[in-house]
Amino acid sequence: MEQFQPLTALVGRILLASMFIMAGFQKIGAYGGTQQYMEFFGVPGSLLPLVILTEIGAGLLVAAGLFTRLAALALAGFTIVAALTFHRDFADQVQMLFFVKNFAIAGGLLMLVAFGPGALSLDSRRAG
């Protein structure tokens, strides 16, 4: 199994990152609705550009394996805050599932923080 570690780390990073990249672009396409959704939960809509930048920017960094630990830490924190802000209606099974899913994703991102991006990454290439 160890011989597959570089490839599985690459695929894992891409799978984790793809969710954030797609979500960021979806927010651009539904900008007004996303602002309203945020404001409904008491989050200023003016933060939406920062949200989009975080999702797309950090997502691309994780996918490429560049500044991976920092980008993964930012996304883990973002994901936990999102769970605590938008998915805390535990009486709603769907919201409970989203809450748990967010924490599971944050766990995967924290594994990247702990163990790094793997050999098939720009971070590994920069380190020589």
Side-chain angles (χ1 to χ4, degrees):
M1 290 299 257
E2 207 165 294
Q3 70 268 24
F4 298 114
Q5 188 176 15
L7 184 59
T8 56
L10 172 64
V11 172
R13 282 196 338 264
I14 291 170
L15 290 174
L16 274 171
S18 65
M19 183 186 91
F20 293 99
I21 296 166
M22 289 180 356
F25 280 111
Q26 286 174 340
K27 285 174 178 66
I28 292 171
Y31 199 92
T34 303
Q35 273 187 321
Q36 288 177 344
Y37 183 77
M38 290 171 63
E39 290 169 354
F40 177 79
F41 284 93
V43 179
S46 61
L47 291 178
L48 184 53
L50 181 60
V51 168
I52 292 168
L53 179 64
T54 300
E55 288 184 322
I56 294 174
L60 289 171
L61 289 172
V62 166
L66 181 63
F67 305 113
T68 309
R69 285 183 159 110
L70 182 61
L73 183 61
L75 286 174
F78 172 83
T79 303
I80 290 169
V81 169
L84 294 170
T85 303
F86 300 107
H87 305 301
R88 59 182 177 205
D89 180 5
F90 299 137
D92 181 341
Q93 281 189 319
V94 173
Q95 291 305 313
M96 175 61 106
L97 179 63
F98 286 161
F99 184 88
V100 173
K101 172 197 63 92
N102 277 29
F103 271 80
I105 291 166
L109 290 162
L110 291 174
M111 294 292 287
L112 274 177
V113 174
F115 297 106
L120 298 177
S121 67
L122 293 177
D123 284 338
S124 179
R125 191 168 190 184
R126 287 181 339 121

